[in-house]
Every structure is written in C-alpha cells, then in structure tokens.
C-alpha cells in the first residue's frame, strides 16, 4: 500500500519549519513529496532501530571495558545512513570517517561481525585487527581515523568509477569539524575540474568534538562551502528528506554534471566518543529537546502509525526481534576468541610470498603471509 | 625489430648473424640508455600492458614532466591516463590512493619527494596501513615516484632524502634504483606490485647513460623488489650503497684498486625490504663494512644496516666496527663549496675505507 507523504523539514534549534531545502547554485532541488511504501517504511524502521540498539549496546560494552580504545557512536544520526543508502545502490561506493558502525551495516556488514570487531575478536569484520574505525566491506572504504583524509580518497574512488565507465558514483562523507580541512578544498577543486561522480556529504551534527560550529567555522553554511560545486542542505533527521536529496544528488552525478555537495543537519546523542560525556559543551536540555522533538526513529514511527501503514504491535515486534539480534551479536562478540597470535604479522602485503617479520627482539622472527 | 637494431648498431656482428640465420643473436646488442629514458620506457610499457595503470602529478601531461620523465606519454595515451594535477599534493595523493582502492593502478608522481611531506599522511595512513587494518580486504596497488635527495644548488627545502622516513613504515615497499636497468626493471616491478611502493629516483642520475643489455630492453624485463645486486666483486671491504652514491662507491673502488685494495660494491636497489642476506654474505667474505648514503646520519639507512649486522650472523666476521658514510648532519646549504662538502665525496669513501682497514 503506497501513500503519498509530504516532506516536512525540521530545522533544529528553533528556526521556523520549512518545506523546502536550501539550495546553492541549483535551480531546483529534490521533490517536496515522496512515496513511501509499507515495505520500505518497515525496512527503514528496522535498520534504524538495529543501528540504535547496536550503538547503545556498544556503549554498554565499552563501560564494561569489553570494548576499548576509540568508540564513536552514531545514535541520533540514523536517518542519514539509512536515507543515503536508500538513495543509492549497493554497487555504488561509499566512504566515511570514524563514526562508521552504521555505514558498515548499511554497506553489507552484519551486526555480529561489527560488534566482534569492536571487541577485537577473530570473528570481527577485520578479524579484530582494525577496530572501531577501520571496518571495510565491498564498495565501502571504511572507517578512516584521520579527520578529512577520507575526502580525497572518496574522490579517488569516484575517479575510478568514471575511469571504468560503470555508471557508479561515490558518496564521500565528512563532519562539520572536518569541513574546514584544507585537503577537502583541494578535493572540491579537482573533483569539479575533472567532473568526478562524487556526492560530498557533510553530516553537520553541530559539534566537532567539543567545539560548536560557530566557534570553528567562519561560515557555517557548509552546503555553500564547495563554492563552485552546487549544494543543498536538508534535514538529516528526516529519513525521507535524506533519501530524496540523495536520489537527487545521485542523478546529478550520474548525468555527468560532476560533483555535488549535501549538508545533512543532524545530531548525535552521545558525546564525540566514549571518553567524552558530551555535556560540557552543550546542555542536557538541548539533547533532551532533540530526542523528544526530532528523533529520526520516532518521526518515522509516528508517520507510519498516523498513516496506518503499520500497527503499534507490528513495530513492537520489530523492536523485540532487533533486541534479540543485538543480544545474540553481543553474546558472540564477548565469547568469540581473540585473534590467534600467529595472525599478528599477516596482511602486510597483498599477493606476496610469505616473509619474515622481526619480532620485539633479534631472535624472534615471525611469519607473515598475505 | 631487435635484429634491425642489431644490424644498425653492430654491423659486423649483424652481418654474421644474418649469414648464420639464427633467431637468437649470439652477440649482445646492448644500447646506451639514460635513466630518464629507462623510466619513460617502463611507464610506457606498463601503460600499454594494463589499462588500469595511469599517471597523475604536476606537469606530467602537457609539459611532458617537470624532469621530462613522462615525455611523449600524454600525446600517446591522452587525458584519461596521463593527468595534470593542480599544486595540491595532499589532495591528489589521496585521490590516487582512493583510485587504487577502487581497482585502478595509479602512478602518483611527486615533483620531488620534499613535496610528499604535504601528502605523507595519505602515503602512510591511507596507503601503507590499509591492507593490514582491513585484515586483507583492501589492497592498495599504488606507486609513488619522483626525485629524492640532494640535487645541485636547490638548497635546504628541496634536498632532503626520504629513504629512511618511508622505510621506517611497515606496509610500504621502498625502492631506490641506481642504473638505467635498475630504473626500468624496478619501476615495472613496482607498477605490477599489488602494494604501495615508494620509488625514489635521483635528479642528478636522470641524464646519466648506462649500457642496457638486450635482456633489459625487453617489455617483460623486471627486477624483483627486495634483492640487492653486487656491482663489483672484491675481497677487502664491503661498500653498501643506493642510488647515486653507488657511482661514487665504484669510482672510489677504482682508485683503491690501484693501491691493491679490492672493494665489493653492493647496490641495494631496494631499501625496504632490506636484502640483509646479501650484505651478510659479503661481510663473511670481506670482514669489513661501510655503508654510503646521501641522507643524514641519524636514524638513517646506514644506521639500520649496522643495527641488523650487529644482530645477525655476520657480526662475528667483522674485523673492525662497521661504519657509515653519510651526508653532513645539517640542512643543505646553497653555495657550491658548502653544498659539495655537505654530501659524501669520493675522497670521503676512500678515507673511510683506509681507516677501517687500518692502512
């Protein structure tokens, strides 16, 4: 059963409600109306809920010291990851920074292998050798730890798409903090010169670590920062806005017009990472307000319920299934053994004959295979 | 084609070859090829062989290359495969790495490796470490190439040797050719290698001609990465070097030979992985080791070789401490007299050999 829904754009922090998105060097933007089928709605709901519960479970495991090191959680931003994937194909390419667990999921990873990677076990998606920031799947290039470095990489992937002529594109994500990096402007220049099929997406969650956008950027209109690259800004908490904007951007790229820039206005409930409580630079009231008024999962749920596209029981059932999936994955992630020590030196080189690697002392020679 | 060349360049041999009607020539038809032309040939052949190979960098296309290494390639292969970039190293190095991740085989040229410092994060964190971090899911088949080390009169910011910095990092292969054959065979290997390779050329060597054997002229001629070559046999002392300093070692060896001192000169060819075995085998014969490099002494290539020899079986064969001949530990000055005294000269090698041999 398909229903026509009007997209309502909510701009955070108290501005007026708008039903169009902001455009830069574009005559027209994505459509203001979208079709949402029941199947799509349920699928989006399930995926977003899975992401949400997965991140909350990671929070729990981190506090139990079962996950260690860096852990950057995505809860609050689910509509971005799910909406973007809904606007492209799995044969397209995507790269992001370190807040990457959700994208690993949308790009084909399973909750089990994501969680086991966080806990550093051999069943992890990178066999425990990458950790939170270094997860990869087909056509998904991580998971990148150095702020901004993923943007030139993404343009390089787009160059390969154009070179190989398969009508694929690359979605290249970065945050409001990274948006000031010089290498991003270098990338805008080359992507535009060479008309690379690249969708640059700025996930603006208002804070680069502990620094608010006003304190970091002379211009917080991130969708305009591409200058000669056309841009649009949409509500990143509304999954349909994100999806339609992504479809619009993808069409722009695939028609050979070159890169395009999208700013998604979103919010993260957690701090920058697990070592940041997230309340020294923003108020609990602010976080609570977003949760109650703009939560992406609640918004989709309300929409579906008020349009009779699903029942409360149905959605509850999905919640139960998701909870179980996460519990099973967490169980696996905590019981799977750590990687074997003889995997230590493997995967240095690809397609290389086996070689010796020096251990911690001259008498220890370790084996390395591709 | 080869027999035509043979006919043109060695008439007498060609006539007899034709008379003998053999497919294999018995006389070697070596030609003189500069390092520049060898590099050009290597890239040309690999661009032809594999469509996924492409070259990007500043001035590589329409300018024919800042040092003319890519002369003629843009004319032959066009915009798609020979790409001029803006002066944005971090950006285009990252783009090259991304392209490698997505299935292409880029050659990323740095006009000199001094400029690679702007992009070093992409070389190390995005290229070198990715195969390991992904536990084998994501290879990065890329070559970073360009001139490295001291040139002539280009002063401090344009004269640094990066062999030690890049060779420090697991996940990279670091190659430093000396001769034209080295340049061609190693660059072809580097391009065919499925891993990130840092290819350190030398501007002062570009114009130097070397004899290139017939075998090396073939389109399938490759030199394996990771194997050193003994350029000169000797019994009294082992000189280990790479790139331009190999020439100086051979010159010093020629002078020393007149005094009855026979040096074994090893051309490293590859810095990482280091062919320690070749060096050890030589030391077991000569009992003396001197490393010669253009770079700075602290934490340099020579320092690593000496450390390995200390830790390995060859230590017991040393009759004197192993020593290093290196560039002077200063930023490179401009004035010629100062510059000349900032890098090893032949007399420095000779002096060090005599000190080591106590003669």
């Amino acid at each position: 059963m398909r229903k026509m829904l009007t997209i309502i754009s909510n701009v955070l922090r108290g501005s007026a409600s708008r039903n169009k998105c902001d455009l830069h060097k574009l005559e027209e933007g994505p459509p203001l109306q979208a079709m949402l089928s029941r199947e799509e709605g349920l699928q989006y709901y399930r995926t977003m809920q899975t992401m949400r519960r997965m991140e909350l479970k990671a929070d729990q495991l981190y506090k139990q010291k079962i996950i260690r090191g860096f852990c950057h959680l995505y809860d609050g931003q689910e509509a971005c990851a799910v909406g973007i994937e809904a606007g492209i194909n799995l044969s397209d390419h995507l790269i992001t920074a370190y807040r990457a667990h959700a994208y690993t999921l949308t790009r084909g990873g399973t909750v089990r292998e994501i969680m086991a990677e966080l806990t550093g076990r051999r069943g992890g998606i990178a066999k425990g050798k990458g950790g939170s920031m270094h997860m990869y799947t087909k056509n998904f290039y991580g998971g990148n730890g150095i702020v901004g470095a993923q943007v030139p990489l993404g343009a390089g992937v787009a160059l390969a798409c154009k070179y190989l002529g398969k009508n694929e594109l690359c979605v290249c994500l970065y945050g409001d903090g990274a948006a000031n990096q010089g290498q991003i402007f270098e990338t805008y220049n080359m992507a535009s010169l060479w008309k690379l099929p690249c969708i640059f997406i700025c996930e603006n969650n208002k804070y680069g670590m502990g620094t608010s956008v006003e304190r970091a950027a002379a211009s917080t209109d991130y969708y305009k920062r591409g200058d000669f690259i056309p841009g649009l800004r949409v509500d990143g908490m509304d999954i349909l806005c994100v999806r339609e904007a992504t479809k619009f951007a993808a069409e722009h790229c695939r028609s050979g017009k070159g890169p395009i820039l999208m700013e998604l206005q979103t919010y993260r409930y957690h701090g920058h990472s697990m070592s940041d409580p997230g309340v020294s630079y923003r108020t609990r009231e602010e976080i609570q307000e977003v949760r109650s008024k703009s939560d992406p999962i609640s918004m989709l749920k309300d929409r579906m319920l008020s349009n009779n596209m699903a029942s409360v029981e149905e959605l509850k059932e999905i919640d139960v299934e998701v909870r179980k999936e996460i519990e099973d994955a967490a169980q696996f992630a905590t019981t799977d053994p750590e990687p074997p020590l003889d995997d230590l030196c493997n995967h240095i080189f690809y397609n290389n004959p086996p070689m010796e690697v020096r251990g911690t002392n001259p008498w220890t020679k370790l084996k390395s295979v591709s | 084609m080869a027999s035509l060349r043979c006919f043109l360049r060695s008439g007498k041999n060609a006539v007899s070859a034709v008379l003998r009607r053999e497919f294999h020539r018995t006389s070697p038809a070596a030609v003189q090829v500069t390092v520049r032309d060898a590099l050009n040939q290597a890239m040309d052949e690999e661009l032809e062989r594999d469509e996924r190979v492409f070259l990007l960098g500043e001035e590589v296309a329409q300018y024919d290359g800042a040092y003319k290494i890519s002369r003629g390639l843009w004319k032959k292969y066009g915009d798609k495969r020979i790409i001029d970039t803006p002066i944005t190293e971090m950006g285009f190095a990252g783009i090259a790495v991304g392209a490698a991740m997505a299935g292409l085989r880029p050659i990323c040229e740095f006009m000199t490796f001094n400029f690679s410092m702007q992009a070093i994060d992409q070389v190390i964190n995005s290229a070198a470490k990715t195969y390991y971090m992904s536990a084998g899911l994501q290879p990065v088949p890329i070559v970073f190439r360009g001139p490295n080390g001291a040139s002539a009169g280009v002063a401090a910011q344009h004269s640094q040797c990066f062999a030690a910095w890049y060779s420090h990092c697991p996940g990279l292969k670091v190659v430093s050719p000396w001769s034209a054959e080295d340049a061609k065979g190693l660059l072809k290997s580097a391009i065919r290698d499925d891993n990130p390779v840092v290819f350190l050329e030398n501007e002062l060597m570009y114009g130097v001609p070397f004899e290139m054997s017939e075998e090396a002229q073939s389109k399938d001629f490759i030199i394996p990465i990771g194997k050193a070559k003994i350029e000169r046999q000797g019994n009294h002392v082992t000189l280990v070097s790479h790139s331009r300093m190999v020439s100086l070692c051979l010159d010093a060896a020629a002078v020393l030979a007149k005094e009855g001192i026979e040096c074994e000169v090893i051309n490293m060819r590859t810095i990482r992985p280091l062919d320690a075995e070749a060096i050890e085998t030589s030391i077991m014969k000569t009992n003396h080791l001197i490393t010669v490099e253009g770079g700075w002494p602290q934490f340099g290539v020579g320092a690593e070789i000496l450390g390995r020899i200390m830790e390995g079986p060859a230590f017991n064969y040393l009759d004197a401490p192993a020593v290093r001949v290196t560039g002077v530990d200063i930023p490179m000055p401009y004035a010629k007299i100062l510059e000349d005294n900032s890098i090893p000269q032949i007399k420095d090698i000779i002096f060090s050999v005599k000190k080591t041999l106590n003669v």
Side-chain angles (χ1 to χ4, degrees):
Chain A
M1 178 171 73
R2 301 185 129 234
K3 284 269 186 168
M4 287 283 285
L5 292 172
T6 307
I7 299 170
I8 297 165
S9 195
N10 289 321
V11 177
L12 297 168
R13 291 181 151 260
S15 310
S17 219
R18 302 195 293 247
N19 61 1
K20 68 176 177 67
C21 69
D22 299 306
L23 300 176
H24 170 70
K25 302 218 165 136
L26 282 168
E27 289 301 313
E28 45 173 32
L32 300 175
Q33 296 193 319
M35 301 282 271
L36 178 69
S37 75
R38 194 182 113 83
E39 293 79 40
E40 284 168 348
L42 290 175
Q43 188 231 313
Y44 300 158
Y45 181 84
R46 179 184 292 270
T47 312
M48 290 203 285
Q49 193 68 286
T50 305
M51 280 173 191
R52 175 68 59 91
R53 300 247 65 92
M54 179 176 76
E55 297 294 79
L56 293 179
K57 178 57 73 174
D59 169 281
Q60 219 177 61
L61 292 174
Y62 194 93
K63 286 169 177 158
Q64 293 174 304
K65 298 204 197 305
I66 299 171
I67 297 177
R68 41 185 223 106
F70 288 129
C71 193
H72 307 86
L73 298 178
Y74 197 73
D75 51 313
Q77 300 186 210
E78 294 86 357
C80 296
V82 179
I84 290 169
E85 193 63 48
I88 58 172
N89 310 316
L90 263 177
S91 55
D92 291 316
H93 306 258
L94 190 142
I95 190 170
T96 185
Y98 45 76
R99 204 174 300 281
H101 309 158
Y103 289 100
T104 315
L105 195 67
T106 52
R107 290 259 100 199
T110 64
V111 182
R112 264 166 78 98
E113 43 188 14
I114 293 171
M115 301 218 71
E117 187 60 35
L118 293 175
T119 55
R121 308 302 165 101
R122 65 180 69 185
I125 200 166
K127 301 192 171 75
K129 297 174 90 164
S132 167
M133 299 185 291
H134 308 296
M135 303 194 193
Y136 302 79
T137 69
K138 185 167 192 294
N139 294 355
F140 174 57
Y141 305 86
N144 288 277
I146 308 296
V147 171
Q150 76 277 13
V151 178
L153 293 179
V157 173
L159 188 147
C161 289
K162 184 171 179 179
Y163 191 107
L164 295 167
K166 291 192 278 188
N167 199 25
E168 293 162 5
L169 53 82
C170 185
V171 174
C172 183
L173 291 133
Y174 56 95
D176 51 278
N180 302 308
Q181 276 257 318
Q183 59 186 317
I184 294 187
F185 293 89
E186 295 186 13
T187 308
Y188 290 157
N189 183 39
M190 285 182 273
S192 196
L193 270 177
W194 302 334
K195 292 206 165 7
L196 301 181
C198 197
I199 306 177
F200 296 110
I201 301 187
C202 177
E203 284 179 293
N204 178 2
N205 59 19
K206 303 271 167 274
Y207 300 94
M209 207 154 144
T211 306
S212 68
V213 292
E214 298 81 36
R215 293 205 302 126
S219 162
T220 55
D221 290 331
Y222 296 104
Y223 71 111
K224 289 184 182 171
R225 300 280 293 275
D227 189 8
F228 35 78
I229 297 182
L232 60 157
R233 174 169 64 189
V234 294
D235 179 5
M237 304 305 260
D238 183 333
I239 190 181
L240 290 179
C241 282
V242 178
R243 185 187 78 180
E244 292 309 307
T246 307
K247 281 186 180 169
F248 174 84
E251 164 56 35
H252 176 102
C253 284
R254 281 191 232 277
S255 63
K257 297 196 184 110
I260 188 167
L261 204 165
M262 246 164 76
E263 178 186 341
L264 300 177
Q265 297 196 299
T266 183
Y267 200 83
R268 53 165 161 80
Y269 296 142
H270 269 85
H272 163 72
S273 71
M274 285 307 296
S275 52
D276 169 26
V279 286
S280 62
Y281 48 87
R282 53 186 190 172
T283 62
R284 289 183 206 275
E285 288 74 45
E286 177 188 290
I287 306 172
Q288 204 26 56
E289 191 182 344
V290 176
R291 242 191 236 283
S292 55
K293 295 200 178 131
S294 315
D295 183 273
I297 301 177
S298 302
M299 272 168 53
L300 177 64
K301 178 174 173 180
D302 292 344
R303 222 178 220 158
M304 291 189 69
L305 290 177
S306 62
N307 282 282
N308 292 320
M309 294 174 79
S311 68
V312 174
E313 291 75 34
E314 241 184 319
L315 296 179
K316 266 212 169 55
E317 206 182 297
I318 294 179
D319 290 349
V320 168
E321 283 167 14
V322 165
R323 241 177 251 271
K324 176 155 197 321
E325 189 188 350
I326 304 302
E327 276 311 315
D328 286 349
Q331 179 64 14
F332 173 68
T334 48
T335 54
D336 198 39
E338 287 189 285
L341 269 183
D342 49 52
D343 201 32
L344 180 68
C345 298
N346 292 339
H347 311 116
I348 300 285
F349 292 131
Y350 178 52
N351 262 349
N352 222 50
M355 60 184 199
E356 233 171 44
V357 170
R358 188 186 195 276
T360 58
N361 60 67
W363 298 276
T364 306
K365 307 220 188 291
L366 304 169
K367 186 125 176 277
S368 171
V369 298
S370 285
Chain B
M1 194 59 202
S3 47
L4 177 64
R5 246 195 305 227
C6 168
F7 178 72
L8 291 170
R9 290 187 198 271
S10 40
K12 182 169 78 157
N13 289 335
V15 169
S16 55
V18 164
L19 288 174
R20 260 175 285 142
R21 291 189 189 185
E22 283 171 339
F23 287 112
H24 295 287
R25 243 171 295 106
T26 51
S27 53
V31 295
Q32 291 279 306
V33 180
T34 61
V35 171
R36 172 181 288 113
D37 289 341
L39 293 167
N40 187 280
Q41 275 173 34
M43 287 199 285
D44 192 356
E45 288 170 9
E46 295 306 300
L47 283 157
E48 196 179 282
R49 177 179 176 270
D50 188 337
E51 266 180 16
R52 300 166 298 171
V53 176
F54 72 100
L55 171 67
L56 86 167
E58 294 154 15
E59 310 299 344
V60 297
Q62 298 190 18
Y63 196 84
D64 271 337
Y67 299 99
K68 304 290 177 258
I69 310 301
S70 53
R71 175 170 40 212
L73 296 180
W74 175 68
K75 210 165 174 187
K76 184 172 175 185
Y77 295 101
D79 284 329
K80 180 179 172 182
R81 304 194 61 201
I82 313 291
I83 303 176
D84 275 336
T85 63
I87 309 173
T88 50
E89 273 79 5
M90 199 169 182
F92 72 70
I95 284 179
V97 175
M101 289 180 178
L104 299 183
R105 305 187 71 89
I107 306 169
C108 176
E109 179 177 302
F110 291 120
M111 196 181 280
T112 77
F113 265 94
N114 301 286
F115 313 144
S116 75
M117 272 202 281
Q118 307 230 298
I120 200 164
D121 175 64
Q122 297 288 2
V123 177
I124 306 300
N125 281 319
S126 302
K129 298 178 184 172
T130 294
Y131 191 65
Y132 186 86
M133 292 192 295
S134 67
L137 287 176
Q138 182 61 73
V140 185
I142 187 168
V143 176
F144 298 100
R145 51 157 291 273
N148 174 61
S151 179
V154 294
Q157 292 179 343
H158 290 76
S159 304
Q160 188 167 333
C161 174
F162 289 85
W165 282 24
Y166 286 118
S167 299
H168 190 57
C169 302
L172 279 184
K173 298 187 184 182
V174 180
V175 173
S176 185
W178 166 63
S179 64
E181 276 198 20
D182 285 357
K184 185 174 178 206
L186 288 170
L187 185 53
K188 284 167 79 76
S189 278
I191 294 169
R192 294 186 194 190
D193 200 307
D194 288 328
N195 298 286
V197 180
V198 169
F199 193 87
L200 303 171
E201 301 161 6
N202 187 295
E203 203 238 313
L204 298 172
M205 295 302 292
Y206 281 152
V208 178
F210 287 84
E211 201 170 86
M212 192 180 270
S213 67
E214 205 209 315
E215 188 206 344
Q217 292 165 47
S218 136
K219 283 188 181 177
D220 290 310
F221 171 71
I222 58 167
I223 292 177
I225 293 176
K227 287 269 163 278
K229 183 181 176 210
I230 300 180
E231 299 288 349
R232 183 188 194 281
Q233 303 259 8
N235 288 315
H236 298 126
V237 60
T238 301
L239 300 177
V240 178
S241 187
H242 71 100
S243 189
R244 193 172 86 87
M245 289 292 138
V246 175
S247 298
L248 269 76
C249 287
L250 290 170
D251 291 344
V255 172
L256 287 163
K258 294 190 191 128
E259 299 179 46
I261 299 173
E262 295 298 331
C263 303
E264 181 143 292
V265 177
I266 298 183
N267 169 10
M268 291 173 71
R269 285 180 158 179
T270 302
I271 317 290
R272 182 177 183 114
L274 205 149
D275 190 354
E277 207 185 299
I279 302 173
E280 283 163 351
T281 306
S282 178
I283 292 170
M284 290 179 189
K285 185 173 70 169
T286 68
N287 310 119
H288 298 84
L289 172 65
I290 300 178
T291 65
V292 182
E293 66 194 291
W296 293 317
Q298 284 206 84
F299 308 97
V301 175
E304 171 64 18
I305 294 173
L306 264 52
R308 290 227 198 168
I309 296 307
M310 283 280 276
E311 290 179 345
F315 170 74
N316 290 311
Y317 290 78
L318 283 173
D319 286 347
V323 297
R324 305 162 289 167
V325 173
T326 69
V328 177
D329 203 10
I330 52 173
M332 182 67 73
Y334 166 68
K336 186 158 199 319
I337 188 173
L338 297 180
E339 185 181 58
D340 288 348
N341 283 281
S342 303
I343 47 171
Q345 300 179 43
I346 296 169
K347 64 175 170 69
D348 299 318
I349 303 174
I350 294 171
F351 174 79
S352 302
V353 167
K354 289 184 173 174
K355 278 289 236 186
T356 300
L357 292 175
N358 208 14
V359 296

